[in-house]
Amino acid sequence: MDIKWHNLGAVSLASFGATLAVVVLFSLGIAAWNRADGLRDGSSEDGLRGGSSGGVPARVAAGAAVLCFAACLAVAAYGIDLIVPD
């Protein structure tokens, strides 16, 4: 039995990179969601004050959060697609 160390290292590095990317995207999504809630309520912790409705900044933050969560979902769905045979 011959182990192809180069291929094993490449797969390990790719899986580590994908894991790191999903964790960072999910964390950014949580932070953006928190920012949207803070802007909407007018009680953000970083000194920004939003109006009663939140306005455009709250919508942009909520949209960024949704995009981050959608990217995480897409990566997870692609991984499941690779694992599950047709």
Side-chain angles (χ1 to χ4, degrees), residues 12-85:
S12 298
L13 189 63
S15 64
F16 179 73
T19 301
L20 187 64
V22 168
V23 168
V24 167
L25 278 173
F26 193 79
S27 298
L28 288 174
I30 294 291
W33 194 265
N34 189 23
R35 167 89 35 121
D37 283 343
L39 289 173
R40 196 171 299 119
D41 295 341
S43 61
S44 65
E45 297 174 4
D46 60 356
L48 296 175
R49 291 191 316 231
S52 60
S53 65
V56 175
R59 289 183 183 172
V60 169
V66 168
L67 286 176
C68 287
F69 294 142
C72 290
L73 183 63
V75 170
Y78 180 67
I80 290 171
D81 184 52
L82 287 176
I83 293 171
V84 175

